[in-house]
Amino acid sequence: MSTAHWPLLDLRITAGDLELRPLVEADLAEVVRVMPADLELDPHATRFGVPEGVHRAVVVHMEYWRSYGTWSPQSWRFHLAVRRDGELLGLQELEGNDFPTLRTVDTSSWLVPAARGIGIGKAMRRAVLSLAFDHLGARAAITSAWHDNHASLGVSRSLGYRANGESLLARGDDVDTLVHLRMTADDWAASGGGAEIAVEGVDACRPWFGI
């Protein structure tokens, strides 16, 4: 897919044998099919009185439409499909709120169970951090995870994120600890940066990212 009117769809990131492409509507059925059962979706998402499996699919579609339908240079959420040899392994999100001023991005992601624990999570995070730091001029990247999400926290710390506090939030019917981490542009450079990561099509997208 290629369009001069929405150049985000032409952006590509390659990290080793992984390719990250912007999520498109044609991907959604596959996303719903492979997304893991342990993926925590937005607890505040609208419910329509449908079975839980259908509700999860509805949330995926609504988040996709919302991300593009509310996109602005000041506030954006970019969902990227992560594939290896054409197989969908997960999604990687990059988000910027008041990005032209703050130059700070947030990240979140998920992987299918078979792709966990073998370095893919770290590689796809490095891919979007390269986009943010090396091509969009980000000054910092933040991320958060529940205290018991050891895989996500491990990826962040291995990449050079530093502790950035904790907060107590509702989690289901209980209260739990959310751990916050932060990486600066200097931390990114010290980690080796975006070596061996290729980003294509970003120049035409700069106005969409507020730069």
Side-chain angles (χ1 to χ4, degrees), residues 91-173:
L91 294 185
Q92 175 69 60
E93 179 182 314
L94 185 71
E95 180 177 3
N97 290 308
D98 199 11
F99 184 75
T101 301
L102 301 179
R103 294 297 176 113
T104 297
V105 296
D106 197 352
T107 61
S108 62
S109 64
W110 59 261
L111 281 169
V112 299
R116 298 173 183 174
I118 53 176
I120 293 175
K122 183 175 180 179
M124 57 199 254
R125 180 89 65 87
R126 284 188 67 242
V128 291
L129 290 177
S130 179
L131 171 62
F133 285 116
D134 301 331
H135 299 273
L136 302 181
R139 298 191 184 103
I142 58 174
T143 193
S144 303
W146 295 116
H147 79 282
D148 55 358
N149 190 342
H150 304 297
S152 177
L153 294 172
V155 165
S156 299
R157 290 166 178 152
S158 71
L159 286 169
Y161 284 77
R162 302 171 188 266
N164 195 35
E166 298 179 350
S167 57
L168 291 177
L169 294 175
R171 188 181 185 187
D173 297 326

Side-chain angles (χ1 to χ4, degrees), residues 169-186:
L169 294 175
R171 188 181 185 187
D173 297 326
D174 207 344
V175 175
D176 209 339
T177 301
L178 193 67
V179 178
H180 307 288
L181 301 104
R182 182 174 183 268
M183 168 188 279
T184 67
D186 287 341

Side-chain angles (χ1 to χ4, degrees), residues 6-56:
W6 199 255
L8 292 168
L9 298 180
D10 290 327
L11 195 148
R12 300 284 184 272
I13 310 175
T14 305
D17 60 356
L18 297 182
E19 183 178 56
L20 283 71
R21 296 189 177 193
L23 191 66
V24 296
E25 194 156 350
D27 295 324
L28 297 182
E30 187 178 11
V31 169
V32 169
R33 179 174 58 81
V34 305
M35 70 179 183
D38 60 357
L39 176 63
E40 294 186 46
L41 299 180
D42 181 2
H44 305 295
T46 303
R47 286 189 172 269
F48 295 97
V50 295
E52 182 61 22
V54 176
H55 169 69
R56 289 172 64 81

